[in-house]
Amino acid sequence: MTGGTGGIGLATAAGLAGLGARVGIVGRDRARAEAAAERVRATGGRVDVFTADVSSQREVRRLAQEVLAAYARLDVLVNNVGGFWATQHTTEDGLERTFAINHLAPFLLTNLLLPRLRASAPARVVTVSSGAQAMGRIDFDDLQGERSYSGQRAYNQSKLANVMFTYELARRLERSGVTANTLHPGVVRTGFGQEDSGGWMRVMLPLVRPFMKSPARGAETSVYLASSPDVADVSGRYFANSRPRSSSRASRDAAAAARLWQVSMDLVGLPVDDGA
Ligand SMILES: NC(=O)c1ccc[n+]([C@@H]2O[C@H](COP(=O)([O-])OP(=O)(O)OC[C@H]3O[C@@H](n4cnc5c(N)ncnc54)[C@H](OP(=O)(O)O)[C@@H]3O)[C@@H](O)[C@H]2O)c1
């Protein structure tokens, strides 16, 4: 699972380890990741640590290699890492950071791990989106915000991309025994967005923090989708509070999802295919 060293990801790792799963967590910093793993191990959980900065496609590829070398079978992939940046940043691949981390990183990692997931069926891919998907619009003419950047617009677009990616993935995985679902975790008390929060967020966050969900509650839908027998055969759905919800009209545009898939293949350097 990506981002298991803090926030919703750590709570998801703890939840799944508590159910008896062997969990691999991914963070950028080994010491922080080891400290997080120790917290879960202290409760009896089995946790392996991987380090990678998923803003870099080179590191996502290395991560995938290490995961494939470590696990002969993969039952669940949880794509959890995501962030918000009020100002525009560029990754080492020359890509806008929100799009790169929130969409292209899970897209690339999932594709690289897909043969192992298929071979491990029944298996599941769970991608953490957000209620912000409802405000998203995929701007195919300016995916990277080169013409104009807004942190909120970039975030909304990336979280819509998570839903469209999941729906297209589910279509591609029909009858494979591998499911793909996505979710809104709720508004959760984590370090989310604090690296580069905008003025509005800086003012509002301390006021709303007491009313936010705990990370453990924010992880409930991820844990449910990753583990519950109730959803063993459910695929291509968007969830909140462990229940299926309808996602935005834009997210259900299958032609746009197929187009986004092809554009993403190109941006991560994978061969563009015919969707079969
Ligand atoms: N919090 C909310 O209210 C909320 C609401 C809706 C949706 N979400 C979604 O929930 C997901 C998790 O959010 P969160 O609130 O738990 O965020 P968070 O507290 O900011 O998550 C931090 C986790 O992500 C890892 N991480 C961050 N950047 C990384 C990178 N470049 N490479 C590898 N790991 C990285 C961190 O690891 P290290 O720092 O150890 O590297 C840490 O494990 C996101 O997809 C977010 O969009 C959150």
Side-chain angles (χ1 to χ4, degrees), residues 3-9 26-29 32 52-55 80-83 101-102 128-131 155 159 184-193 212:
T5 70
I8 297 165
V26 183
R28 286 163 293 185
D29 178 79
R32 194 161 54 231
D53 179 341
V54 300
S55 70
N80 166 81
V81 164
I101 291 187
N102 295 11
V128 182
S129 175
S130 163
Y155 184 71
K159 293 287 129 179
H184 169 51
V187 181
V188 187
R189 211 178 305 120
T190 66
F192 180 81
M212 291 169 138

Side-chain angles (χ1 to χ4, degrees), residues 1-2 8-9 11-17 19-23 73-80 117 122-128 177-183 218-234 237 239 242:
M1 172 190 7
T2 64
I8 297 165
T12 305
L16 292 173
L19 293 173
R22 179 177 169 195
V23 184
R73 36 175 307 120
L74 282 176
D75 299 312
V76 181
L77 167 63
V78 182
N79 290 310
N80 166 81
L117 286 157
R124 306 178 185 198
V125 178
V126 177
T127 301
V128 182
V178 184
T179 63
N181 289 295
T182 184
L183 68 122
E220 281 172 0
T221 305
S222 294
V223 172
Y224 173 76
L225 289 175
S227 64
S228 173
D230 297 353
V231 284
D233 300 318
V234 175
R237 300 299 301 268
F239 285 75
S242 303

Side-chain angles (χ1 to χ4, degrees), residues 239-275:
F239 285 75
N241 290 322
S242 303
R243 289 201 193 92
R245 290 283 152 81
S246 52
S247 57
S248 72
R249 196 188 158 106
S251 72
R252 290 181 267 115
D253 180 340
R259 183 178 176 194
L260 178 65
W261 187 281
Q262 300 302 352
V263 172
S264 304
M265 291 293 267
D266 192 40
L267 287 170
V268 298
L270 290 175
V272 172
D273 60 33
D274 59 6

